Amino acid sequence: MLAYLEPLAREFKNHADPVKARQMKAYMKNRFEYFGFNAPIRKAILKKFVVAQGKPKYRIIDVIVSELFQLPQREFQYAAIEFCGMIKRDWSEDSLELFEKIATTKSWWDSVDSVNSVCIRPFFLKFPKNCAKHTLRWIESENIWLQRLSIIFQLRYKEKTDTALLARNIGLLNQSDEFFVQKAIGWALRDYGHSNPDWVIDFVDKTELKPLSRREALKKLKETETRVDR
């Protein structure tokens, strides 16, 4: 293990809770091992670690991420993603390659959604130029996790949402049989519906969507309409 990471590993082990670890492992369908502590504890450990050891250096972030993803406990993968977010000022356009690697390594919804919120979403705000090209590449990759990212990366963009791109990417994936892709479509539309409900309602009316996507997209909007009607 890198000397830089040794104090972090010790702290993670010191906070291990075998009972919670079994519960967390079961919740994630036994895909990963866990130390057994929640996100607030992990963030507190990382904050203390960075004060003592400093933020990771951008020039070796890929090595740090690779090492953390080789370790069995899932908390190490969460830490790798958060380390990437700590150095966003140093990101270059080449950083996307690392974020894609994270998304496609030991992939499940927890890590993919985390790398989206911590890395992908802010990356495309910083480097929007080739967004359409990259997300099309993800769609064509047939990797369901990259496809999911092509849909959800604009979450919370609000008025900055590129609706043409959102519509294009959904249109290319709207007949996917993958649960996590269908769910992503509904999630992205529901999220944008907070800012522009008329656009979302019109889009859903005019677009052939899987039942899950349609239901998820309109869920909050229908609840709002019901409250208004009453």
Side-chain angles (χ1 to χ4, degrees):
M1 176 177 287
L2 290 171
Y4 172 75
L5 294 174
E6 289 176 357
L8 181 66
R10 286 196 296 270
E11 280 300 300
F12 276 10
K13 290 175 183 177
N14 289 340
H15 285 80
D17 184 327
V19 174
K20 289 184 179 179
R22 287 193 294 272
Q23 294 171 346
M24 294 169 78
K25 182 178 179 179
Y27 177 71
M28 297 300 288
K29 302 184 183 298
N30 298 313
R31 290 176 176 271
F32 311 105
E33 300 296 329
Y34 283 87
F35 283 114
F37 50 80
N38 59 23
I41 292 176
R42 184 182 73 250
K43 291 179 184 296
I45 294 172
L46 283 171
K47 183 177 180 179
K48 181 180 177 181
F49 170 82
V50 168
V51 169
Q53 306 296 325
K55 293 180 181 180
K57 301 298 183 183
Y58 180 75
R59 58 183 173 79
I60 60 167
I61 189 62
D62 56 335
V63 177
I64 292 171
V65 167
S66 178
E67 181 142 352
L68 289 171
F69 264 80
Q70 290 177 41
L71 298 171
Q73 290 85 0
R74 196 60 163 167
E75 290 89 349
F76 284 126
Q77 281 93 72
Y78 299 151
I81 294 168
E82 290 177 46
F83 276 146
C84 290
M86 291 178 189
I87 57 172
K88 63 178 62 177
R89 288 185 178 180
D90 298 322
W91 291 351
S92 70
E93 292 189 64
D94 293 335
S95 299
L96 187 61
E97 182 178 352
L98 175 61
F99 304 155
E100 290 179 12
K101 181 178 179 181
I102 292 172
T104 54
T105 304
K106 294 188 175 181
S107 306
W108 197 236
W109 64 264
D110 59 330
S111 60
V112 173
D113 292 357
S114 180
V115 77
N116 179 63
S117 61
V118 175
C119 302
I120 301 293
R121 192 166 66 203
F123 175 86
F124 280 131
L125 285 174
K126 187 174 183 179
F127 302 105
K129 182 179 178 181
N130 294 312
C131 181
K133 180 182 74 172
H134 288 306
T135 56
L136 179 60
R137 177 169 53 82
W138 292 350
I139 291 168
E140 293 175 343
S141 74
E142 299 187 358
N143 181 293
I144 66 167
W145 302 111
L146 292 178
Q147 291 179 340
R148 181 175 172 89
L149 286 172
S150 76
I151 299 295
I152 65 172
F153 79 92
Q154 294 194 86
L155 290 174
R156 299 183 185 177
Y157 273 19
K158 298 181 180 179
E159 69 280 355
K160 294 180 180 179
T161 299
D162 183 336
T163 53
L165 183 56
L166 178 63
R168 185 203 73 174
N169 289 358
I170 290 175
L172 292 170
L173 291 168
N174 63 340
Q175 293 307 300
S176 172
D177 291 325
E178 293 290 347
F179 170 84
F180 288 108
V181 174
Q182 293 180 22
K183 192 83 169 179
I185 291 171
W187 184 14
L189 290 171
R190 185 173 71 248
D191 178 79
Y192 186 53
H194 297 308
S195 302
N196 195 342
D198 291 339
W199 186 93
V200 171
I201 292 170
D202 183 65
F203 179 82
V204 172
D205 284 344
K206 295 178 178 178
T207 306
E208 184 178 355
L209 297 173
K210 292 286 187 175
L212 173 60
S213 299
R214 181 177 298 273
R215 186 168 62 250
E216 289 293 317
L218 297 177
K219 184 163 55 177
K220 294 296 183 182
L221 292 176
K222 286 183 177 180
E223 290 173 0
T224 301
E225 289 174 353
T226 301
R227 286 196 295 271
V228 170
D229 290 343
R230 291 177 181 175

